[in-house]
Amino acid sequence: MSKALDVPKSLETEINETAAIARSITHSSLGDKAQSDLRAKLLKQLKEQDAILVSHYYVDEDLQDLAEESGGTVSDSLEMARYAYEHKASTIVVAGVKFMAETSKILSPEKRVLLLDNDAECSLDIGCPIDEFSAFCDQHPDRTVVVYANTSAAVKARADWVVTSSIALEICTYLRDKGEKIIWGPDRFLGGYIQKETGADMIMWQGSCIVHEEFKAEALMDLKRQHPDAAVLVHPESPMNVVDLADVVGSTSKILNATRELPNKKFIVATEDGIFHKMKQYSPDKEFIAAPTAGSGATCQSCAQCPWMKMNDLQRLENVLNTGSNEILIEENVRADAERSLKRMVDFANKHIRPDMKVTGDA
């Protein structure tokens, strides 16, 4: 059985309005010398404040480069949190969106966690508010609650399991084999993919990523015909008819690894376009083509950009380091319950996949 709960129109409106505000934000252009001077200042501040910069694949390439230059990391959200947890730095600075910073705070409660912009949201997070989701779960007490990592700390705390896209299939198969019925939230496309692959009994919250839901199968088929030698890489937050066209379906980490491991010299990529920076670094001799989306205008062939990820820039990093603003705080009872759900996933990976596994791969 696969049923979905419709997201209220009020939440759709909030998502669209919040995204529109994020898209309207402008970024100051810096000359080469000003940018060089700012980078040097930020490197010094990070060191002086015993801070580590962790950046997601989807943010501005300058932040990605600075994270690695300063001893931080560029990765998916759970690996960002794991890296920061294991690092000796007392302050974690997150270049990404709010749920990513919250995940770092969940795993590292004793550390100061700063987010570059406190308004950097996620449509999956906004579309799954704790009160509504908790009430839905209460209506189905016989079901195991499994939530995607792209959720608030409060939703993670309400869940039995937190999963990333790289391990969701294994965990839902495990629960199916135990005869457990599942409430899945919040991404309906990822949930539908998992339900199709596992046959698990799932009731799904009807959320979506505003980036991945825009990829279009018909336009992708046309692009494949234009580039028959290209491998198609798709994140499973995309619609099912797009996923069905993929050569590789997987998390950001799996997609990135596929560009290094497959023999193809050309790839069509259906995920947020910030990941192209790292792909080009790893494989400068290969070509990467953005998968087509509906876009906001008739000439838009791929507008695969998360408006909230694009809020992050060097100037916002400077402001956070200057002021200590945007610190992430979570009530301890919520944090502890969210940590329990996250660690259940990690324990499963260590027991059932391989003992030395680093669990990665969500948004």
Side-chain angles (χ1 to χ4, degrees):
M1 181 177 72
S2 176
K3 294 165 59 180
L5 179 73
D6 289 338
V7 169
K9 289 294 183 183
S10 60
L11 290 177
E12 290 185 9
T13 299
E14 182 181 355
I15 289 168
N16 292 334
E17 289 178 350
T18 307
I21 292 171
R23 291 190 184 99
S24 70
I25 291 173
T26 58
H27 300 273
S28 301
S29 179
L30 297 175
D32 290 344
K33 184 178 187 306
Q35 175 133 331
S36 177
D37 290 345
L38 179 56
R39 286 174 59 87
K41 176 186 176 182
L42 294 171
L43 287 168
K44 181 181 179 182
Q45 286 182 299
L46 286 166
K47 184 176 181 179
E48 289 175 346
Q49 296 186 29
D50 190 31
I52 190 74
L53 176 63
V54 291
S55 296
H56 194 271
Y57 293 123
Y58 295 165
V59 302
D60 181 81
E61 62 186 52
D62 290 330
L63 285 167
Q64 293 188 43
D65 292 343
L66 186 68
E68 293 187 326
E69 185 179 350
S70 62
T73 190
V74 180
S75 58
D76 57 59
S77 64
L78 191 66
E79 177 64 9
M80 288 162 64
R82 185 210 62 79
Y83 185 92
Y85 168 78
E86 294 187 353
H87 199 280
K88 64 181 182 179
S90 60
T91 293
I92 303 167
V93 183
V94 176
V97 296
K98 187 176 294 183
F99 81 81
M100 298 176 180
E102 288 187 341
T103 303
S104 283
K105 188 65 177 180
I106 289 166
L107 295 180
S108 302
E110 76 288 354
K111 297 186 178 185
R112 182 176 66 149
V113 179
L114 304 177
L115 179 63
L116 264 61
D117 195 309
N118 211 36
D119 292 325
E121 297 281 0
C122 170
S123 60
L124 288 169
D125 189 351
I126 298 172
C128 191
I130 181 56
D131 290 343
E132 288 90 335
F133 185 70
S134 185
F136 178 57
C137 295
D138 291 343
Q139 295 172 19
H140 304 279
D142 59 324
R143 290 181 176 268
T144 299
V145 181
V146 181
V147 301
Y148 192 29
N150 297 36
T151 47
S152 68
V155 168
K156 289 180 174 71
R158 180 60 182 83
D160 299 297
W161 293 79
V162 176
V163 301
T164 67
S165 56
S166 65
I167 200 171
L169 283 173
E170 289 86 348
I171 287 176
C172 288
T173 298
Y174 168 77
L175 295 174
R176 178 206 65 191
D177 292 345
K178 289 179 62 182
E180 296 187 29
K181 296 183 289 184
I182 296 169
I183 289 176
W184 168 269
D187 191 288
R188 68 180 184 268
F189 294 123
L190 178 56
Y193 170 71
I194 293 167
Q195 198 277 335
K196 179 182 177 182
E197 294 295 313
T198 65
D201 184 336
M202 298 170 67
I203 294 177
M204 285 177 279
W205 189 264
Q206 196 76 335
S208 63
C209 167
I210 64 170
V211 175
H212 292 94
E213 70 178 353
E214 287 299 312
F215 292 115
K216 302 300 178 185
E218 185 175 350
L220 179 55
M221 290 177 66
D222 289 341
L223 194 60
K224 285 183 65 173
R225 283 190 283 268
Q226 296 173 36
H227 303 278
D229 54 337
V232 178
L233 313 179
V234 176
H235 194 287
E237 290 177 26
S238 306
M240 186 60 67
N241 58 358
V242 173
V243 170
D244 288 342
L245 297 174
D247 297 297
V248 175
V249 180
S251 66
T252 49
S253 298
K254 184 173 181 179
I255 288 173
L256 186 59
N257 288 337
T259 64
R260 306 174 75 179
E261 296 169 358
L262 292 179
N264 304 67
K265 292 294 184 181
K266 188 181 295 186
F267 295 90
I268 299 171
V269 183
T271 193
E272 214 276 354
D273 68 2
I275 203 170
F276 281 38
H277 179 60
K278 187 58 63 179
M279 289 178 171
K280 292 172 181 176
Q281 283 185 335
Y282 285 157
S283 304
D285 60 327
K286 296 184 178 183
E287 181 181 356
F288 303 100
I289 304 166
T293 68
S296 57
T299 61
C300 182
Q301 291 300 308
S302 184
C303 299
Q305 296 187 349
C306 172
W308 298 290
M309 287 287 190
K310 301 311 181 191
M311 294 173 74
N312 292 269
D313 59 19
L314 293 177
Q315 292 93 325
R316 282 173 171 76
L317 174 58
E318 180 185 24
N319 177 65
V320 163
L321 292 175
N322 285 342
T323 65
S325 57
N326 302 337
E327 182 173 1
I328 299 298
L329 302 173
I330 304 172
E331 293 183 5
E332 177 54 26
N333 62 320
V334 173
R335 189 210 64 79
D337 285 346
E339 182 182 37
R340 166 189 50 79
S341 300
L342 272 167
K343 287 193 171 179
R344 185 169 284 162
M345 172 186 63
V346 175
D347 290 343
F348 174 90
N350 289 338
K351 180 177 180 181
H352 295 279
I353 299 179
R354 62 178 189 269
D356 61 342
M357 180 179 182
K358 292 193 294 186
V359 182
T360 62
D362 58 344

